[in-house]
Amino acid sequence: MSNHPLALFGGNRAVVSEPGDLFAWPIVTEEDEAAVLDVLRKRAMSGTDITKQFEQDYRAWLGTTYTLGANNGTSALHAALFGVGVGAGDEVICPSITYWASCTSVYSLGATVVFADIDPVTLCIDPKDIERCISEKTKAIVVVHYFGYPADMDEIMAIARKHGIKVVEDVSHAHGGLYKGRALGAIGDVSGMSLMSGKALAIGEAGMLATNDREIYERALAFGHYERYNGVIHTESLQPYAGLPLGGYKHRMHQMSAAMGRVQLRHYDERNAEIGRAMNYFWDLLEGVPGLAAHRPRPDSGSAMGGWYAAHGHYKPEELGGLSVTRFTEAVRAEGVADCQPGCNMPLHKHPLFQEADVYGHGKPTRIANASRDVRTLDADLPVSVGIARRVYSIPWFKHFRKDQIEQYANAFRKAAENYEALLVDDPGDPPVLGGWSMFSRK
Ligand SMILES: *Cc1c(COP(=O)(O)O)cnc(C)c1O
């Protein structure tokens, strides 16, 4: 197969069968439909009874003491950051390679962000770069389990404990993932995750916060859930203000999402396991192909990808005569893999919102409006983040373990890599900017 001429040059495409529902997600059955219709018929869209049941299911699944539903993942993370006490003048460390919602809400808390570099193998925050970013103003570290890969939590937690800093896990890419046998989202001080339709656990616009710390939970609740901020609050400092949301935000989850969430969660482990079988099979087929490497933890590590959201692969142009990832992915797409794109999220520190934007009229960039030092990041501090787009590409996100179809997709990647010399001839190289600010705007 791999020696056939590339489809880009008129050869036969590696992917010949129609995908069918190979990529369709989430899987929606009559069970989801009945649950959602029930909310509609009861006119219970804005209630909280079903959301509270969903929170209870989620706690049991994740193994944390507290969970709090939200209208989206951005709100859950915003509340998590408030929950750990991020406030005026504080600094929050976050990887530059992530979706903006991991950290952008810190501005509205009067805080700022200090960007850390990522590890070139895990693509998650590099523990070795965290201490460079710490100052006496550092309040929290946001850890993103990027593209489903469990970040190095042991090292991160050790650094955080040493410096008295809180850890916020952003699990929006990694539902059901494991770090050394422990559930992602139950390791840091608090976690927040998106449950929007494009994610692995997909229930519409919704988010979830999880923690074992009652005060963090209560602060998050007080921030954006006025009707649940009442007499049951134990935290004394919060008691006088019950009844109105401290943040001025309303984070209530739509109960059609909550109802669908209860159904989706019941099936999630099984469906996630099938995704894992399919994705691991894809990578097993490509083991040893020059230029390509899997983005997944070692099978003997006790760690496992969660959901494989927006799965990507490593690219090593030096093993393919310097072939650009732009040209490589063009050849893979021609083989019939529509969603093989170069790059990933663009480094957040390069966006003008994190350089000069004066959002709130401070008369200076919001990034440094309340900061005691200029935390704006230089490319030289983040070499991996700045260069990573040329070394990654998206791969198909299989939802079913169908060997012969997966083999066709893997062959497309193998063919492009093994015929790299033919592709070098007209390689335009990579453009100055690759990837996008979000995975959705890119498509
Ligand atoms: C999707 C996402 C979010 C935000 O979640 P929404 O539900 O879209 O608000 C936060 N962090 C990461 C890493 C994400 O991918």
Side-chain angles (χ1 to χ4, degrees), residues 426-440:
D426 284 317
D427 184 359
D430 290 317
V433 173
L434 269 179
W437 295 114
S438 83
M439 289 299 136
F440 280 97

Side-chain angles (χ1 to χ4, degrees), residues 153-200:
M153 293 306 292
D154 280 350
E155 288 210 41
I156 294 164
M157 294 307 293
I159 295 165
R161 293 292 174 256
K162 180 173 145 202
H163 294 271
I165 298 166
K166 300 292 185 191
V167 172
V168 177
E169 289 180 81
D170 181 348
V171 196
S172 303
H173 291 189
H175 315 79
L178 295 175
Y179 175 76
K180 299 186 182 173
R182 284 180 290 162
L184 301 183
I187 304 171
D189 294 282
V190 61
S191 61
M193 58 219 91
S194 173
L195 306 174
M196 57 81 74
S197 305
K199 301 288 159 74

Side-chain angles (χ1 to χ4, degrees), residues 72-74 77 98-99 101-102 144 170 172-173 194-196 199 205-206 309:
N72 57 48
T74 305
L77 288 158
T98 182
Y99 181 69
S102 299
V144 186
D170 181 348
S172 303
H173 291 189
S194 173
L195 306 174
M196 57 81 74
K199 301 288 159 74
E205 286 297 300
Y309 172 75

Side-chain angles (χ1 to χ4, degrees), residues 149-397:
Y149 197 111
D152 194 345
M153 293 306 292
D154 280 350
E155 288 210 41
I156 294 164
M157 294 307 293
I159 295 165
R161 293 292 174 256
K162 180 173 145 202
H163 294 271
I165 298 166
K166 300 292 185 191
V167 172
V168 177
E169 289 180 81
D170 181 348
V171 196
S172 303
H173 291 189
H175 315 79
L178 295 175
Y179 175 76
K180 299 186 182 173
R182 284 180 290 162
L184 301 183
I187 304 171
D189 294 282
V190 61
S191 61
M193 58 219 91
S194 173
L195 306 174
M196 57 81 74
S197 305
K199 301 288 159 74
L201 184 50
I203 66 171
E205 286 297 300
M208 190 62 77
L209 173 147
T211 181
N212 291 316
D213 184 312
R214 176 141 195 135
E215 187 173 339
I216 293 174
Y217 164 71
E218 291 192 341
R219 282 179 62 85
L221 187 141
F223 192 65
H225 296 267
Y226 69 95
E227 81 284 8
R228 298 172 65 176
Y229 179 20
N230 53 34
V232 301
I233 293 287
H234 295 191
T235 308
E236 257 178 60
S237 59
L238 297 174
Q239 283 166 354
Y241 315 110
L244 296 182
L246 294 186
Y249 296 102
K250 184 183 166 196
H251 284 174
R252 190 191 304 156
M253 187 187 291
H254 195 303
Q255 292 216 107
M256 279 158 64
S257 288
M260 183 171 175
R262 297 198 72 196
V263 176
Q264 288 291 318
L265 193 59
R266 279 202 283 277
H267 298 284
Y268 186 71
D269 285 340
E270 189 190 324
R271 292 174 184 167
N272 181 35
E274 180 158 3
I275 292 175
R277 275 197 298 281
M279 300 302 294
N280 279 312
Y281 185 59
F282 171 84
W283 278 127
D284 290 346
L285 291 167
L286 292 172
E287 201 61 58
V289 174
L292 310 185
H295 178 236
R296 58 176 173 179
R298 295 163 48 98
D300 59 358
S301 60
S303 299
M305 300 288 276
W308 295 77
Y309 172 75
H312 277 61
H314 287 294
Y315 185 67
K316 302 177 179 180
E318 60 278 9
E319 293 179 4
L320 301 177
L323 183 71
S324 71
V325 72
T326 299
R327 182 70 164 160
F328 169 74
T329 55
E330 185 190 8
V332 176
R333 286 194 301 277
E335 296 295 334
V337 189
D339 49 6
C340 178
Q341 301 287 341
C344 56
N345 288 100
M346 283 161 58
L348 286 176
H349 74 276
K350 295 183 89 73
H351 194 283
L353 179 56
F354 291 106
Q355 294 295 335
E356 71 253 21
D358 178 3
V359 183
Y360 294 111
H362 285 98
K364 54 183 164 179
T366 311
R367 184 83 182 281
I368 54 168
N370 300 314
S372 47
R373 58 183 182 132
D374 192 344
V375 294
R376 283 174 293 180
T377 325
L378 302 173
D379 280 0
D381 288 331
L382 305 177
V384 182
S385 301
V386 169
I388 197 66
R390 293 159 191 274
R391 304 186 64 84
V392 290
Y393 47 87
S394 52
I395 60 167
W397 188 13

